[in-house]
């Protein structure tokens, strides 16, 4: 089946054993299997909570309306709940024996919740365990990204990336498949033959134009970028590489964790770059220099390898990603490394960096005319030499914030400070003036960025709030604070113009 491509790994489930190990809760398993994965907590005193369960819950109840234990447990198990927690008191003094028998019968873990333990304490413990697990998984993904990027810089980059991928996925088998489904390179211990055959078939799901063999697709059709399956306890995943070579990355593993898909997505981006035909060693050196630049190298150190050409920085966010009160994002928006790689391909570049919040950075060679892309909001810098890429990256980030605030599909940055009327002032004098005028707020990035954004959006509270992802009242408070510290009348057009000039040089 097709699998989504998240920008960061989802929160891992919590093993029931981890919750039972919390001595402060005093939980005790009295029925059902030992192993279960808890994804969230839900409390209900309904006689039939089935319509309100999503699956994977630790359902907590005191049995207020419990009359038919067998029917109740059968419905909870049918809904896919992970476990049932029964609070002893105030309705029952002990867990009803009929409930224990029903949970054993339907294979639903049953936990006894002692009177001193509140349901809120259990929920808080689950969220804390989930946060700790997610932190560990994010750290694992970050380390894997660094390891894969380092492997891509080796003299034998494709085998090195595959070897690194298998190590990061706990000994999985990784294979690069040709359009015909033949292995081009592999790493790790091969799975059983039937799993390898299934993986070859799965590769044709993401690459229906593959030629030859059983299951050949005779006519082009839309295909997912990734697909998953399982054969005999072996988890299988196939990922289509970009770059026009019709190659597929296949992964077979005995287990799959929350961050594995994200790690594989990073490998897909790197392998797509590495397997795209290059014109010569000069282009390979430029790509390696850009990888080092993305990993934090000094621009001055890599600029000679990048040559005298210009580069354009692009910041992108999924359309409608502006967050509401609950921090939700628009449904259906492109997310994750694979979506980021697709955006890079559309812009003609494999130099893509996908951020945890869904945003994407792309470095494009040359002064290309960047066009709006469906599903994305873009901020585009002016073309700059390699040594000025950090500044271009900053201006592209500012441009995408303006694009979100104005609901524009694409906004281009306004060039270097000092253009136009500003060019009449010597840069050193302009910077000295900016430092002096903005000294009262210079130590607060929140105030300076809010003032900068507010002025760029002509004093609009709502659009500034959208651009900064804060409440409009927060914007009002910050602007009022700026006015007080600067001793300035921000309703005066001349004052605004002077501050805007200063902010461009700060």
């Amino acid at each position: 089946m097709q699998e989504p491509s998240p920008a960061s790994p989802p929160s891992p489930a919590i093993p029931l054993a981890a919750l039972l190990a919390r001595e402060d809760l005093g939980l005790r398993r009295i029925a059902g299997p030992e192993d279960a994965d808890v994804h969230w907590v839900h409390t209900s005193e309904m006689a039939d909570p089935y319509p309100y369960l999503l699956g994977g819950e630790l359902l907590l109840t005191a049995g207020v309306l419990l009359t038919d234990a067998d029917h109740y447990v059968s419905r909870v198990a049918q809904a896919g709940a992970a476990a049932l927690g029964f609070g002893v008191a105030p309705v029952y003094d002990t867990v009803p024996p009929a409930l224990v028998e029903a949970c054993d019968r339907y294979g639903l873990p049953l936990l006894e919740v002692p009177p001193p333990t509140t349901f809120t304490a259990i929920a808080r413990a689950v969220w804390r365990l989930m946060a700790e697990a997610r932190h560990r998984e994010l750290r694992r993904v970050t380390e894997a990204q660094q390891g894969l990027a380092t492997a891509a810089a080796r003299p034998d980059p494709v085998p090195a990336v595959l070897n690194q991928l298998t190590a990061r996925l706990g000994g999985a088998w990784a294979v690069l498949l040709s359009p015909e489904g033949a292995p081009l390179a592999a790493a790790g211990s091969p799975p059983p033959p039937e799993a390898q055959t299934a993986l070859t078939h799965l590769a044709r799901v993401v690459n229906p134009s593959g030629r030859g063999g059983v299951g050949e697709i005779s006519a082009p059709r839309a295909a997912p970028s990734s697909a998953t399956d399982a054969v005999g306890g072996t988890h299988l995943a196939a990922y289509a590489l970009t770059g026009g070579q019709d190659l597929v990355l296949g992964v077979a593993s005995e287990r799959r964790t929350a961050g594995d898909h994200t790690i594989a997505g990073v490998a897909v981006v790197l392998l797509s770059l590495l397997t795209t035909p290059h014109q010569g060693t000069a282009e390979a050196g430029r790509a390696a220099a850009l990888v080092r630049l993305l990993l934090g190298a000094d621009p001055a150190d890599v600029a000679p390898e990048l040559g005298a050409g210009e580069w354009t920085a692009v910041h992108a966010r999924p359309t409608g990603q502006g967050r509401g009160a609950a921090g939700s994002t628009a449904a259906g928006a492109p997310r994750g490394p694979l979506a980021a790689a697709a955006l890079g391909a559309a812009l003609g570049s494999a130099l893509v960096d996908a951020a945890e919040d869904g945003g994407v950075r792309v470095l494009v060679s040359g002064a290309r005319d960047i066009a709006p892309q469906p599903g994305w909001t873009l901020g585009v810098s002016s073309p700059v030499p390699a040594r000025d890429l950090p500044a271009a990256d900053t201006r592209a980030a500012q441009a995408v914030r303006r694009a979100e605030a104005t609901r524009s599909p694409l906004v281009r940055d306004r060039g270097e400070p000092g253009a136009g009327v500003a060019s009449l002032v010597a840069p050193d004098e302009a910077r000295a003036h900016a430092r002096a005028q903005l000294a009262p707020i210079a130590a607060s990035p929140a105030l300076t960025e809010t003032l900068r954004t507010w002025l760029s959006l002509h004093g609009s509270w709502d659009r500034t709030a959208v651009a900064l992802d804060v409440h409009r009242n927060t914007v009002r408070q910050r602007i009022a604070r700026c006015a007080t510290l600067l001793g300035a009348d921000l309703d005066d057009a001349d004052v605004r113009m002077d501050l805007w000039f200063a902010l461009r040089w700060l």
Side-chain angles (χ1 to χ4, degrees):
M1 65 176 180
Q2 185 175 358
E3 184 174 298
S5 48
S8 61
S11 295
I14 302 303
L16 191 60
L19 196 59
L20 292 171
R22 292 285 299 262
E23 296 182 358
D24 57 316
L25 298 178
L27 302 178
R28 187 168 65 95
R29 185 183 62 84
I30 57 177
E34 297 180 3
D35 298 328
D37 290 329
V38 177
H39 292 267
W40 39 66
V41 178
H42 181 68
T43 300
S44 175
E45 295 301 339
M46 300 182 65
D48 181 12
Y50 176 90
Y52 302 96
L53 299 180
L54 299 176
E57 299 94 345
L58 168 59
L59 176 62
L60 300 175
T61 181
V64 174
L65 298 179
L66 180 64
T67 55
D68 186 340
D70 186 85
H71 177 73
Y72 182 87
V73 173
S74 69
R75 294 287 285 172
V76 172
Q78 184 181 356
L84 177 65
F86 193 87
V88 177
V91 182
Y92 291 87
D93 295 329
T94 60
V95 179
L99 188 65
V100 176
E101 295 173 2
C103 285
D104 275 329
R105 187 180 310 115
Y106 290 100
L108 181 69
L110 175 62
L111 310 184
E112 180 187 69
V113 182
T117 302
T118 64
F119 288 175
T120 300
I122 297 174
R124 186 182 296 115
V126 169
W127 304 141
R128 183 176 293 111
L129 288 170
M130 290 181 70
E132 293 172 354
R134 178 168 173 78
H135 176 73
R136 290 192 299 269
E137 195 69 0
L138 286 173
R139 184 170 55 189
R140 184 175 78 95
V141 169
T142 300
E143 293 173 350
Q145 290 174 334
Q146 295 171 349
L148 288 167
T150 301
R154 290 176 55 88
D156 51 347
V158 172
V161 168
L162 292 176
N163 277 308
Q164 185 67 210
L165 180 60
T166 63
R168 297 295 177 174
L169 296 185
W173 185 59
V175 58
L176 186 63
L177 299 172
S178 71
E180 296 79 13
L184 299 176
S189 300
E194 59 271 19
Q196 296 185 44
T197 301
L199 187 58
T200 302
H201 285 283
L202 195 64
R204 297 192 183 101
V205 174
V206 299
N207 179 26
S209 61
R211 299 174 291 280
V214 179
E216 179 179 359
I217 305 299
S218 58
R221 61 175 175 83
S225 57
S226 65
T228 61
D229 198 359
V231 174
T234 300
H235 297 280
L236 307 175
Y239 304 86
L241 269 60
T242 60
Q245 304 303 299
D246 290 335
L247 303 180
V248 174
L249 171 64
V251 177
S253 59
E254 295 182 356
R255 60 184 181 86
R256 180 180 296 143
T257 61
D260 288 354
H261 188 67
T262 303
I263 294 172
V266 174
V268 167
V269 174
L270 291 171
L271 290 172
S272 297
L273 172 62
L274 294 170
T275 56
T276 298
H278 292 285
Q279 286 69 40
T281 56
E283 285 76 9
R286 285 155 60 90
L290 277 170
V291 169
R292 294 201 302 275
L293 186 63
L294 284 172
L295 293 175
D298 188 333
D301 294 338
V302 298
E305 297 179 60
L306 296 175
E310 293 185 320
W311 298 85
T312 299
V314 179
H315 275 237
R317 291 187 179 276
T319 299
Q321 187 175 307
R323 299 181 181 274
S328 60
T329 57
R335 298 296 294 267
L338 297 179
L343 174 65
L347 298 179
S349 175
L351 299 168
V352 179
D353 178 28
E356 181 181 345
D357 63 356
V360 176
R361 293 189 303 172
V362 184
L363 292 183
V364 180
S365 175
R368 301 187 189 180
D369 184 16
I370 304 298
Q373 299 296 319
W376 294 95
T377 298
L378 304 182
V380 182
S381 78
S382 301
V384 298
R387 64 178 180 274
D388 294 332
L389 273 174
D393 180 70
T394 299
R395 295 199 299 276
Q398 295 170 350
V400 78
R401 287 197 292 269
R402 291 198 300 271
E404 286 186 311
T406 58
R407 293 176 173 82
S408 302
L410 184 148
V411 167
R412 304 180 192 278
D413 85 271
R414 297 165 184 173
E416 292 281 359
V421 175
S423 64
L424 301 177
V425 181
D428 291 342
E429 295 180 6
R431 293 188 183 92
H433 168 75
R435 287 194 294 269
Q437 185 174 17
L438 299 173
I441 64 171
S444 173
L447 292 181
T448 54
E449 187 61 21
T450 300
L451 181 59
R452 188 195 312 275
T453 305
W454 183 73
L455 290 173
S456 74
L457 296 174
H458 311 292
S460 170
W461 307 109
D462 291 331
R463 290 194 293 167
T464 303
V466 170
L468 297 177
D469 196 15
V470 299
H471 195 278
R472 59 177 293 168
N473 288 345
T474 301
V475 176
R476 289 183 178 274
Q477 292 168 1
R478 291 180 182 176
I479 294 301
R481 183 63 176 162
C482 288
T484 300
L485 293 174
L486 295 172
D489 180 6
L490 297 183
D491 291 328
D492 189 316
D494 289 335
V495 172
R496 291 192 186 194
M497 180 177 65
D498 194 33
L499 287 172
W500 178 246
F501 173 87
L503 283 165
R504 297 185 70 194
W505 286 99
L506 184 63

